C-alpha cells in the first residue's frame, strides 16, 4: 500500500507540474506577487494544523475575511502588519491542545 500511495503522489505531482508549466507559459506571473499568498497559506497551516483538513480551511477563510476588513478600514498598507499582529495574538491565545499534533489520528 505505501508503494501505491507514493506512486499516486508522484504521478499527481508530475501532472500538476506539467499543468503549471503549460499555464505559466500563457501567463506572465512574477514571484513577487505570490509572496502574500504563500504567507497566508503558511499562517493558515500553522494555526489550523498541518495534519488536519477542515481547521486550516477555516483558518484561511478567517484570515481572508480579516484581511479584507482591515484593508477596508486601514488601507492596503495596514493589511500585512495587522495580519502579523493577528498571528501573534492567535498563537498566544490558542490552547496548546489545538496545536499539539501528537494526539491526532494518522492514516
Amino acid at each position: 500500500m505505501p508503494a501505491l500511495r507514493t506512486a499516486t503522489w508522484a504521478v499527481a505531482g508530475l501532472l500538476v507540474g506539467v499543468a503549471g508549466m503549460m499555464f505559466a507559459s500563457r501567463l506572465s506571473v512574477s514571484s513577487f506577487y505570490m509572496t502574500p499568498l504563500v504567507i497566508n497559506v503558511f499562517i493558515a497551516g500553522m494555526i489550523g494544523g498541518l495534519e488536519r483538513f477542515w481547521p486550516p480551511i477555516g483558518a484561511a477563510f478567517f484570515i481572508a475575511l480579516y484581511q479584507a476588513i482591515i484593508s477596508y478600514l486601514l488601507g492596503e498598507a495596514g493589511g500585512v502588519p495587522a495580519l502579523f499582529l493577528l498571528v501573534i495574538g492567535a498563537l498566544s491565545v490558542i490552547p496548546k491542545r489545538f496545536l499539539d499534533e501528537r494526539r491526532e489520528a494518522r492514516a
Side-chain angles (χ1 to χ4, degrees):
M1 199 60 150
L4 178 62
R5 182 177 289 167
T6 303
T8 302
W9 277 103
V11 169
L14 179 69
L15 291 175
V16 167
V18 169
M21 287 189 295
M22 291 171 57
F23 182 69
S25 69
R26 309 199 85 197
L27 186 69
S28 66
V29 177
S30 172
S31 62
F32 175 75
Y33 298 115
M34 294 302 288
T35 303
L37 178 67
V38 171
I39 290 172
N40 290 345
V41 168
F42 181 73
I43 291 170
M46 289 297 107
I47 291 175
L50 296 175
E51 297 292 325
R52 292 170 262 206
F53 184 73
W54 291 110
I57 292 175
F61 179 76
F62 176 73
I63 287 170
L65 184 64
Y66 175 77
Q67 277 192 317
I69 292 170
I70 292 298
S71 294
Y72 176 74
L73 294 175
L74 301 177
E76 189 66 31
V80 175
L83 177 65
F84 287 124
L85 287 175
L86 172 73
V87 170
I88 291 170
L91 292 178
S92 64
V93 172
I94 293 175
K96 185 179 177 188
R97 69 174 186 263
F98 290 139
L99 299 175
D100 189 17
E101 296 182 3
R102 286 182 280 158
R103 295 188 183 118
E104 289 292 317
R106 298 191 186 252

